[in-house]
Amino acid sequence: MRTRPLKVALLGCGVVGSEVARIMTTHADDLAARIGAPVELAGVAVRRPGKVREGIDPALVTTDATALVKQGDIDVVVEVIGGIEPARTLITAAFEHGASVVSANKALLAQDGAALHAAAEENGKDLYYEAAVAGAIPLIRPLRESLAGDKVNRVLGIVNGTTNFILDKMDSTGAGYQEALDEATALGYAEADPTADVEGFDAAAKAAILAGIAFHTRVRLDDVYREGMTEVTAADFASAKEMGCTIKLLAICERAADGASVTARVHPAMIPLSHPLASVRGAYNAVFVESDAAGQLMFYGPGAGGSPTASAVLGDLVAVCRNRLSGATGPGESAYAALPVSPMGDVVTRYHISLDVADKPGVLAQVATVFAEHGVSIDTVRQQGKDGEASLVVVTHRASDAALNGTVEALRSLDTVRGVASIMRVEGE
């Protein structure tokens, strides 16, 4: 074993960063044995230097992250500060000054992953980011290494624990959205401002990363269709149960049937109770991968939190340090396919539409005619009504998003249609 330690700079010492530092200290001997050399925490960049950080030598703490990554003797920079800047500038500087990088920064990778990969390659360094998607669940490495010889056709997953907790609570207890959100906040699953989670921004960033790796194509955050879950109601869950389904906020990355394009999207969807993702409860994450040779694979586990995310960071740290010792680098960006990303209007799926209509003869015929005129085939219809008002629930066969939107607009123009109560996609069949 080499006795000279590999030096690690830690950018950020919050929930994840402090856990990374703790594990590096308490498991130092095991890490050294696995890597082939000891690892040494050479510096910790923070915003608030006066805060007590148990187990971390105060002499290592600095507010000058730029000086830390530019020292020249740093082997690996671990970035867990998040956000776009200064993370982007610091990571680029780390490459330029001889360090490889381990990051958990999903937002930055989804927005500027191509540029960061290019900077890593130009400087002959590694960029690893297992912790950016699905916490402790090994997912990035299986997609870009274990399945490198296969053709991935679909990645379907629950990649945000906060939203899954809220939807699971609504499903299991009948709670409304706000009530379930309040409980998630009280338990620490939701931030004080939950917008990034409940509006799908967090999941969309992860979908961009997954789609890019799965399909060997550059997919940016702007390419991902995003729809939040704040409008999901108890009535939607009641309808889902009548269909033998539940509701999840899904990240869906698909290769077109002809293989000529890909799509990436995040939105609430009904999935059959028989689907493996339907049983994912609480704040857990799970990702379902479908490929030509391997078939169907499911990755499941805790998707957030200090210890789970730190586990993924340390796994990357071990891999990168091994590469440093051998003088090699791991896999970089694979974007050779360069497939176009199709707009949401081209996506084909099933739909569940709930309409408020007048309770009188001929309404169903009018509605069915509108669907037929827009080329959307109806699978099932349920109608209930009294006192001149009725609820009409239509489940379609597979149709494009554009065709469905045209249908809905035409339905709104009918005098007998009082309103569109809800529209939800049906996935996982």
Side-chain angles (χ1 to χ4, degrees):
M1 178 186 292
R2 193 180 88 164
T3 56
R4 184 172 67 82
L6 292 161
K7 292 190 174 184
V8 178
L10 179 61
L11 308 183
C13 198
V15 173
V16 176
S18 59
E19 191 66 9
V20 169
R22 184 192 68 79
I23 295 173
M24 285 184 63
T25 301
T26 58
H27 295 183
D29 291 342
D30 286 339
L31 290 173
R34 294 166 191 172
I35 292 169
V39 288
E40 173 188 304
L41 190 58
V44 182
V46 300
R47 292 192 181 95
R48 298 186 297 277
K51 181 179 178 180
V52 176
R53 294 173 173 85
E54 186 177 349
I56 296 177
D57 183 352
L60 296 177
V61 176
T62 178
T63 57
D64 194 344
T66 301
L68 179 60
V69 301
K70 290 183 176 181
Q71 278 184 198
D73 63 345
I74 300 297
D75 293 289
V76 185
V77 169
V78 175
E79 182 272 310
V80 288
I81 56 179
I84 305 303
E85 288 292 356
R88 174 170 49 197
T89 298
L90 292 170
I91 289 174
T92 302
F95 292 139
E96 293 171 348
H97 288 79
S100 290
V101 173
V102 172
S103 176
N105 196 330
K106 54 188 169 285
L108 178 58
L109 289 159
Q111 179 172 308
D112 288 324
L116 295 179
H117 275 293
E121 182 176 1
E122 181 181 347
N123 291 281
K125 299 297 179 288
D126 275 324
L127 173 62
Y128 275 51
Y129 44 91
E130 184 68 64
V133 179
I137 304 172
L139 185 58
I140 300 297
R141 193 170 291 119
L143 280 174
R144 72 176 186 175
E145 296 182 32
S146 303
L147 295 174
D150 205 345
K151 179 184 178 184
V152 176
N153 297 309
R154 195 173 196 229
V155 179
L156 173 75
I158 298 164
V159 295
N160 184 278
T162 299
T163 55
N164 198 58
F165 177 89
I166 293 170
L167 292 173
D168 181 41
K169 187 61 62 174
M170 293 174 70
D171 184 28
S172 61
T173 69
Y177 166 75
Q178 190 60 51
E179 182 183 352
L181 173 59
D182 290 343
E183 182 172 352
T185 304
L187 292 171
Y189 292 128
E191 301 286 346
D193 180 1
T195 302
D197 294 323
V198 300
E199 293 295 352
F201 290 101
D202 175 83
K206 296 170 181 176
I209 295 170
L210 291 175
I213 296 171
F215 307 133
H216 304 279
T217 291
R218 287 178 178 169
V219 180
R220 289 171 50 87
L221 181 59
D222 291 345
D223 296 321
V224 181
Y225 173 83
R226 178 193 56 79
E227 191 177 306
M229 48 152 285
T230 57
E231 300 301 318
V232 177
T233 66
D236 291 325
F237 274 102
S239 294
K241 287 180 179 180
E242 289 181 3
M243 292 178 58
C245 293
T246 188
I247 298 171
K248 300 291 186 181
L249 184 75
L250 298 178
I252 306 170
C253 312
E254 291 180 308
R255 189 189 300 269
D258 62 4
S261 64
V262 299
T263 58
R265 51 197 165 102
V266 168
H267 54 72
M270 295 181 180
I271 58 171
L273 294 176
S274 58
H275 193 282
L277 291 178
S279 61
V280 178
R281 311 301 296 269
Y284 275 69
N285 283 192
V287 178
F288 205 70
V289 177
E290 300 174 9
S291 67
D292 276 0
Q296 297 179 331
L297 306 170
M298 183 166 163
F299 301 83
Y300 169 83
S307 294
T309 306
S311 171
V313 170
L314 267 296
D316 279 351
L317 179 64
V318 169
V320 170
C321 285
R322 287 172 175 169
N323 291 343
R324 296 283 289 194
L325 290 179
S326 66
T329 55
E333 182 188 33
S334 176
Y336 73 90
L339 297 171
V341 182
S342 296
M344 186 63 187
D346 293 347
V347 171
V348 175
T349 188
R350 298 178 67 206
Y351 291 87
H352 176 282
I353 305 103
S354 179
L355 304 172
D356 295 324
V357 299
D359 185 18
K360 62 182 184 180
V363 173
L364 180 57
Q366 283 185 321
V367 169
T369 298
V370 170
F371 275 88
E373 288 173 346
H374 289 80
V376 179
S377 176
I378 294 176
D379 182 17
T380 61
V381 177
R382 299 195 311 275
Q383 184 173 4
Q384 293 179 324
K386 62 179 181 178
D387 300 328
E389 298 296 331
S391 174
L392 188 65
V393 176
V394 178
V395 179
T396 74
H397 288 290
R398 291 175 64 83
S400 73
D401 195 72
L404 194 281
N405 286 338
T407 303
V408 171
E409 287 305 309
L411 289 171
R412 293 183 195 276
S413 67
L414 296 178
D415 293 339
T416 52
V417 174
R418 310 300 193 212
V420 180
S422 69
I423 303 171
M424 191 164 294
R425 297 168 184 87
V426 183
E427 301 283 351
E429 295 185 306

